[in-house]
Amino acid sequence: MSYVLRTAASADVDAARSVMLDTVYGDLRSGYVPRWHRDIIDIEGTYLRPRRRTLLVAVDEADGEVVGTGAVRDQGPQAPPNPPWVAERFPSRSTAQLCRIYVRPTHRRLGIARAMVRELSAFVAGAGGYEAVYLHTDPAVPGAEPFWRSLATVVCDERELPGGGQGIVHFALPVPAPSVGEPAGEPAGVSLTATAC
């Protein structure tokens, strides 16, 4: 199986939205909740237009289907619902939040999400001005928590808080150093040949 990871264009919006909505309804089981998922409806305004944000798509080269998404936004976690000290540690504008890293179930465990994180980190490095890289995950999603624990450092596991909080796990990744000779903030298309893990 071969995939291309590239910056999303306007023509990819509907397919990317489909991947995201299928994930929030299927894996997260929350369904669409406007206060959490507003960006899924306004993908262009949230990810494609702002200079310090991006959306990548993973495209199956065999049929051209968008099978994965991954995004960066210059917005830290908000309190509430997140713990105040987590929100203070990751302020908006200086925090790159990795989000919407979703892969269709039939294309998982092939290295797509890991490649997405690598390319999103390259975007963060090229964009400049970020002092922290943050993300959170719902450990109820199969494979999500071990995946992120293999790449990032746990900042707060809300299950360990009194009352259990929202039950999510907050992570930090190192801020990547800028690459010499790379266009600022613009990841190139990357080919990925995947084999089952």
Side-chain angles (χ1 to χ4, degrees), residues 81-156:
N82 299 294
W85 68 270
V86 173
E88 289 169 14
R89 179 172 171 177
F90 299 104
S92 292
R93 288 198 266 286
S94 63
T95 296
Q97 181 175 172
L98 303 187
C99 53
R100 306 296 177 226
I101 300 176
Y102 301 149
V103 177
R104 291 211 180 272
T106 54
H107 297 271
R108 290 181 185 161
R109 300 196 54 78
L110 299 173
I112 296 171
R114 195 170 294 272
M116 279 278 185
V117 172
R118 190 170 48 248
E119 291 305 305
L120 292 171
S121 294
F123 174 86
V124 169
Y130 285 118
E131 297 173 8
V133 180
Y134 162 84
L135 67 105
H136 66 266
T137 196
D138 183 342
V141 175
E145 184 179 1
F147 171 75
W148 288 114
R149 284 183 182 270
S150 76
L151 294 174
T153 302
V154 174
V155 171
C156 174

Side-chain angles (χ1 to χ4, degrees), residues 2-23:
S2 295
Y3 302 90
V4 172
L5 274 56
R6 59 174 170 75
T7 303
S10 294
D12 299 312
V13 166
D14 289 340
R17 184 179 296 118
S18 174
V19 170
M20 293 176 189
L21 287 174
D22 286 351
T23 302

